[in-house]
Each structure stands twice: as C-alpha cells, then as structure tokens.
Amino acid sequence: MAVPADQQHTTADGDGAAEFERHRPMLLGLAYRFLGSMWDAEDVVQDACVRWLGTDREEVRVPRAFLVKMVSRLALDQLRSARVTREAYTGPWLPEPVATGALGPMDTAELRDTVAFATVHLMERLTPPERAVFVLREAFELPYDEIADILGASVPHCRQLLRRAGQHLADGRERFTPAEEDHVKLFTRFLEAAQEGDLGALTDLLSEDVVAWNDGGGRVRAALRPVIGRAKVLAFITGLLSRYATGATRLVDVNGAPALSTSMHDRSQITMLDVRDGRVHGIYAVLNPDKLGHVPA
C-alpha cells in the first residue's frame, strides 16, 4: 500500500526536524490527553523530538505512526510516575486548562470530546493502561494491534482495558454537549446570577448533584475537598462572592469549550463548567498559578 505523501520518510537532519514539527501539534494533543498537563506533555514531546533526530530514519516507513508510538510510550511512563505525585497533592487535583488552539487537531467529535476538561478530569479514574487504550482508540482510532504493540500487551487484553475504561467513565460521559453558542449563553447567565446573588436563577442553573472542585495546589487558598450538592455549592459560591470582590472577567476558549477567566482578591482563576441537559453538573475552578500558563493572558 502506498504511503501518503505527508507521511513519507525524509533523510536529512533538517528535513527530519521539519517532519517532526509537522506532527508536533498532534503529538502535544496526544500527550496532554495522557497526562492532563501541558507542561508534562511538552517535556514528553521534546524528549521524543531528541530521540527522533537520533533515530536512523531510513528504517522509519511512516513517521506519524512511529512518533505516535514513541510519544505514547513516553507519556505512559510519565503518567505512572505522575500518579504518585498527584496522590500527595494538596486538595483536589485538576487538569491544566489549555487554550484550545494549542491542543492539536480537532477534526472529529472524538478528538474534541476526549480533550474536554470534564473528560480529562474523569480520565484520572483510569489506570495508566486503561487511559492509554482509551485515548489511542477513542481519540486517535488506532487499530488494536498497534495499541497492543505500544502497551506490550495482547489484543484481547487491550479490548478488555477499553471496556473497563468505558465502564469507569460511563456515568460522567453520558451528557448532552451544548453547542458553543448555547454554552456561552449558559455561562453568561451563570456569571450574572452569581454576581447579582440571584439564588433563584442559580438554583435553576445547577443540577441537584452538582459538584464544585477547586484546585489551589497549596499555592493559594481553596477548598480542600469537592463541594457536593446544590445547597452546599450555592452556599459556597455566595460565600465567596460576599467575601471577595470580582475583578476583570472574560470568556476564553479552553479545552474546546468556553471558560471563564477572572480575577478575585488579587488572584486569577479559570473556571470550566460541565453542562448536561441545560444544567451545570460540574464546576472546575483552577486557581493554582502553576497551572494557568497555557491560557492566553
């Protein structure tokens, strides 16, 4: 079978670097889905670049497939070590919000869905092998034999890992994803109701089982446990707004959806909403300044 022109091998070092740069956005998106951190994803992809330039590329038939395999293995190793660090994290650990344009191609619904903030957060429930199979199969549609080669596992085991991943994620992913315009409108209504202290409007917008996560990472003051249930979330929001003045506020495009960038009490935060059937089921507030570097200022 002929190899597509954009995937054919090039030999000179300069051409090798150019070849890698053509795939870099896709590779960053791949590594981010594994890790939930663009800082870690950039480290993985840069490591892959160094290894690629030191590879005998005469032996590489399809550079894209070779690089996907390399980055997946490096990201999987990084994920295993990162999980240990995250267990000692102060308060809830949330993924790093990233400007949508930095996350690589969004050509399919699967690519967009698997980079959505709520989905990346849910993937923390998975074991590293489950997460790897889920990302490679669902987002990048790799054949099972290639996934098995990357993981060093059998095809039947990879199929089983995907079933397990689907079971772990099923509850949180059974949601209606609103169109961007509707998401913006809901976000605007939510912000206005919160700022005006309109408890009736806020109550209508929040689901009964809504959960609010706040990630300060020990760097800034934030709730150390998820706030669960409509009544507690309402009290939490109104309590914050009564104590702290809200500064500049704007909508930004993060992880494929609108998000709110705001300053409050001399600190910045990015807030994402998980919307299902027109109501807010999840509120994700990232306050840790170490995690805000990949959202446009």
Side-chain angles (χ1 to χ4, degrees):
M1 182 175 68
V3 178
D6 65 346
Q7 297 181 11
Q8 288 177 1
H9 167 70
T10 54
T11 56
D13 283 347
D15 288 342
E19 180 78 48
F20 189 91
E21 291 306 314
R22 280 194 288 274
H23 297 298
R24 185 183 287 271
M26 178 273 296
L27 296 172
L28 282 170
L30 170 64
Y32 175 80
R33 288 170 174 84
F34 269 75
L35 299 165
S37 164
M38 185 55 86
W39 293 109
D40 289 341
E42 288 175 337
D43 285 346
V44 163
V45 171
Q46 190 56 38
D47 187 2
C49 181
V50 172
R51 295 180 185 222
W52 164 253
L53 294 177
T55 296
D56 180 4
R57 295 188 299 278
E58 291 287 352
E59 302 297 321
V60 178
R61 181 171 177 269
V62 183
R64 184 183 188 278
F66 182 90
L67 291 170
V68 165
K69 180 177 179 179
M70 179 187 292
V71 167
S72 296
R73 287 180 169 175
L74 290 171
L76 187 56
D77 288 341
Q78 176 69 17
L79 178 59
R80 289 184 172 115
S81 61
R83 283 169 65 90
V84 176
T85 303
R86 291 172 191 179
E87 288 174 359
Y89 194 78
T90 302
W93 186 93
L94 291 177
E96 183 184 343
V98 179
T100 298
L103 288 169
M106 298 282 184
D107 301 332
T108 66
E110 290 76 17
L111 282 168
R112 184 169 288 271
D113 178 64
T114 53
V115 86
F117 197 87
T119 303
V120 179
H121 179 236
L122 280 171
M123 284 196 281
E124 288 296 306
R125 299 178 180 181
L126 307 180
T127 66
E130 287 171 349
R131 187 165 182 164
V133 174
F134 177 78
V135 168
L136 292 170
R137 184 66 180 172
E138 291 288 310
F140 291 87
E141 301 179 331
L142 260 65
Y144 276 109
D145 59 341
E146 293 185 23
I147 297 174
D149 182 43
I150 289 170
L151 268 65
S154 67
V155 167
H157 184 55
C158 289
R159 292 182 184 275
Q160 186 179 45
L161 288 171
L162 184 62
R163 283 195 297 271
R164 289 177 185 170
Q167 291 168 358
H168 290 313
L169 299 179
D171 178 59
R173 296 183 73 230
E174 289 178 357
R175 62 181 182 271
F176 168 72
T177 303
E180 182 174 352
E181 181 180 352
D182 294 334
H183 201 146
V184 170
K185 288 180 180 178
L186 188 145
F187 227 133
T188 302
R189 288 169 54 206
F190 176 83
L191 177 61
E192 290 174 349
Q195 289 179 329
E196 294 170 7
D198 188 340
L199 293 182
L202 274 176
T203 300
D204 289 340
L205 289 172
L206 300 178
S207 69
E208 290 186 8
D209 59 352
V210 62
V211 181
W213 287 269
N214 294 265
D215 181 345
R219 295 288 310 281
V220 298
R221 188 174 180 180
L224 295 178
R225 292 181 179 84
V227 182
I228 301 173
R230 180 190 287 160
K232 290 183 179 180
V233 170
L234 282 171
F236 180 73
I237 293 173
T238 55
L240 280 178
L241 293 174
S242 67
R243 289 196 300 271
Y244 304 118
T246 301
T249 301
R250 63 194 174 88
L251 286 174
V252 291
D253 191 7
V254 169
N255 287 67
L260 188 68
S261 173
T262 186
S263 61
M264 180 180 290
H265 191 55
D266 296 327
R267 69 189 184 198
S268 298
Q269 69 180 60
I270 302 293
T271 304
M272 285 68 57
L273 300 181
D274 179 20
V275 180
R276 310 180 206 170
D277 300 322
R279 288 181 183 269
V280 177
H281 281 248
I283 303 172
Y284 308 94
V286 179
L287 299 85
N288 184 344
D290 295 338
K291 292 186 175 184
L292 300 179
H294 286 92
V295 178

